[in-house]
């Protein structure tokens, strides 16, 4: 149950697009289309932004999109806004019916 | 509206025990898998355990297996986490969350557990 690997930080200017990668193995990301992404502002509980690789819960902006290729999933935020500045975590269903989170990425809006 | 409220956190000595509770409202509790997720201070999220709506399916992270026990009382709309043999590395904010379809949908605000002598 090793954590999925994410870049520690990603930054972009308002209006730009950024992509956060999430690399796992054939025991998690690579075997299941069950990757989800969470946004967490300081001192707050996480909020789901994407589930099942690319599905958006109702109420989540369509500026957020997800994809997957092999053992790596990605979250893209387009039209970056100040309110998008937060920590982002990926999560995957894994072998032995468990879940594993990513290491987390701090997104900074310049 | 869905509400999840955790309680039971606090300061406990290494080797001690603590029982966390999560009171749910605003949805049909028994229909949902539920999960505990924790976050050490300044660190990332770590999945801890989940339980099915009828409590016949239960899984744990290796880091807590044999020490923590998840349970639920559907009549009371409550989720629990019994934590025994606590270690310093169990210090974290513990969140309960709904697990509807392989993702964590609604989250509580968390309860802080500190393991220290």
């Amino acid at each position: 149950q090793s954590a999925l690997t994410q870049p520690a930080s990603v930054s972009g200017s308002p209006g730009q697009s950024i992509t956060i990668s999430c690399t796992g193995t054939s025991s998690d990301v690579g075997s299941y289309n069950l990757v989800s992404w969470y946004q967490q502002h300081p001192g707050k509980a996480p909020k789901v932004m994407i589930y099942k690789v690319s599905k958006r819960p109702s109420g989540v902006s369509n500026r957020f999109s997800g994809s997957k290729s092999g053992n790596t999933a990605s979250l893209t935020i387009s039209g970056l806004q100040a309110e998008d500045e937060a920590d982002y975590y990926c999560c995957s269903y894994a072998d032995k019916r468990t879940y594993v989170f990513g290491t987390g990425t701090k997104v900074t809006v310049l | 509206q869905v509400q999840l409220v955790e309680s039971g956190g606090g300061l406990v000595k290494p080797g001690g025990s603590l029982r966390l509770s999560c009171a749910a409202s605003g949805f049909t509790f028994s229909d949902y898998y539920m999960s505990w997720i924790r976050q050490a201070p300044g660190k990332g999220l770590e999945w801890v355990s989940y339980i099915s709506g009828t409590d016949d399916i239960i899984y744990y992270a290796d880091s807590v297996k044999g020490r923590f026990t998840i349970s639920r009382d559907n009549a009371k709309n409550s989720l629990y986490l019994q934590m025994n043999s606590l270690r310093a590395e169990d210090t974290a904010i513990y969140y309960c969350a709904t697990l509807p379809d392989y993702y964590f949908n609604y989250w509580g605000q968390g309860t802080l557990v500190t393991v220290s002598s």
Side-chain angles (χ1 to χ4, degrees):
Chain A
Q1 292 178 344
S2 296
L4 308 176
T5 301
Q6 298 180 231
S9 63
V10 173
S11 62
S13 299
Q16 285 187 329
S17 292
I18 62 169
T19 297
I20 303 168
S21 61
C22 169
T23 302
T25 68
S26 58
S27 296
D28 38 65
V29 175
S31 287
Y32 306 96
N33 289 324
L34 296 173
V35 176
S36 50
W37 289 89
Y38 302 86
Q39 176 192 66
Q40 186 180 34
H41 287 108
K44 299 295 187 182
K47 172 188 175 184
V48 61
M49 306 304 282
I50 294 288
Y51 67 100
K52 289 188 173 180
V53 175
S54 60
K55 296 184 183 298
R56 262 190 320 274
S58 90
V60 171
S61 171
N62 59 9
R63 298 185 298 104
F64 291 84
S65 61
S67 62
K68 192 190 92 166
S69 177
N71 293 340
T72 299
S74 298
L75 174 72
T76 297
I77 309 175
S78 58
L80 199 61
Q81 298 180 0
E83 67 209 49
D84 301 331
E85 188 162 291
D87 294 326
Y88 290 82
Y89 296 91
C90 60
C91 180
S92 177
Y93 184 74
D95 287 352
K96 300 181 184 179
R97 304 184 72 171
T98 59
Y99 289 85
V100 58
F101 279 93
T103 50
T105 298
K106 180 176 181 60
V107 168
T108 301
V109 181
L110 302 172
Chain B
Q1 71 283 17
V2 172
Q3 193 168 13
L4 298 171
V5 179
E6 302 92 338
S7 61
L11 175 64
V12 61
K13 289 181 168 52
S17 298
L18 212 54
R19 189 196 195 206
L20 306 183
S21 299
C22 170
S25 60
F27 64 104
T28 306
F29 182 69
S30 58
D31 284 351
Y32 285 84
Y33 278 58
M34 296 293 296
S35 185
W36 288 99
I37 297 142
R38 68 184 181 183
Q39 186 170 35
K43 303 296 184 182
L45 300 171
E46 180 187 14
W47 169 74
V48 173
S49 179
Y50 68 78
I51 183 170
S52 64
T54 51
D55 73 25
D56 56 337
I57 297 173
I58 289 175
Y59 283 86
Y60 299 97
D62 287 344
S63 57
V64 307
K65 200 175 297 182
R67 300 187 300 121
F68 289 12
T69 302
I70 192 171
S71 63
R72 64 191 297 159
D73 185 336
N74 288 341
K76 294 183 178 179
N77 288 346
S78 292
L79 175 72
Y80 306 103
L81 187 68
Q82 177 67 43
M83 304 186 296
N84 298 331
S85 303
L86 283 162
R87 307 165 179 166
E89 55 264 36
D90 295 318
T91 294
I93 295 172
Y94 285 74
Y95 297 100
C96 66
T98 60
L99 182 54
D101 194 10
Y102 301 97
Y103 68 100
F104 306 102
N105 191 8
Y106 294 103
W107 298 61
Q109 284 306 300
T111 186
L112 177 63
V113 172
T114 303
V115 184
S116 174
S117 54

